[in-house]
Amino acid sequence: MTGSKRIIHTTEAPSPIGPYSQAVAAGDFIFLSGQIAIDPKTSKMIEGNASEQTRQIMENLKAVLAAANSDFGHVAKATIFVTDMGDFHAVNEVYKTYFDASTSPARAVLQVAALPAGANVEIEMVAQK
């Protein structure tokens, strides 16, 4: 990896709720921190089911990618965390609308015991510049 890292920040996505950055560009990659369904306008978790949370998360990630001069077509890997694997189908139905079949990234979905702020879904990504 050459060059230094660059912190990515946008007001179009929620500010971090801890000591981390929305994303970091390093070398040829952009590492996006996990996003939960926080509305960047209110800084509060949206109310809603896994589908509604996933839509907000994807919009947050879209904003961070845009701030890094990238988009979903450049995402190489996504990791999705859910508190209930029963939400897999609902999350998938929303998630897939953000990707073209020819550019879908590698992905993992993991069930976890809990997520920050009572979220049901969290998604992190790695993209190419």
Side-chain angles (χ1 to χ4, degrees), residues 37-58:
I38 294 177
D39 181 333
K41 292 179 179 90
T42 65
S43 298
K44 296 183 191 240
M45 275 287 292
I46 66 160
E47 293 192 24
N49 59 29
S51 294
E52 294 161 321
Q53 287 192 18
T54 301
R55 188 163 317 286
Q56 181 66 57
I57 291 165
M58 294 301 285

Side-chain angles (χ1 to χ4, degrees), residues 77-117:
K77 175 76 165 79
T79 305
I80 302 174
F81 304 93
V82 294
T83 56
D84 182 351
M85 198 56 83
D87 289 334
F88 179 86
H89 180 72
V91 169
N92 217 34
E93 286 301 303
V94 174
Y95 173 91
K96 74 180 182 182
T97 66
Y98 286 84
F99 294 98
D100 180 284
S102 66
T103 61
S104 291
R107 187 182 86 174
V109 179
L110 307 165
Q111 182 173 326
V112 296
L115 290 166

Side-chain angles (χ1 to χ4, degrees), residues 4 15 33 43 51 56 60 65 71 78 118-119:
S4 61
S15 292
S33 293
S43 298
S51 294
Q56 181 66 57
N60 293 346
L65 284 165
D71 57 36

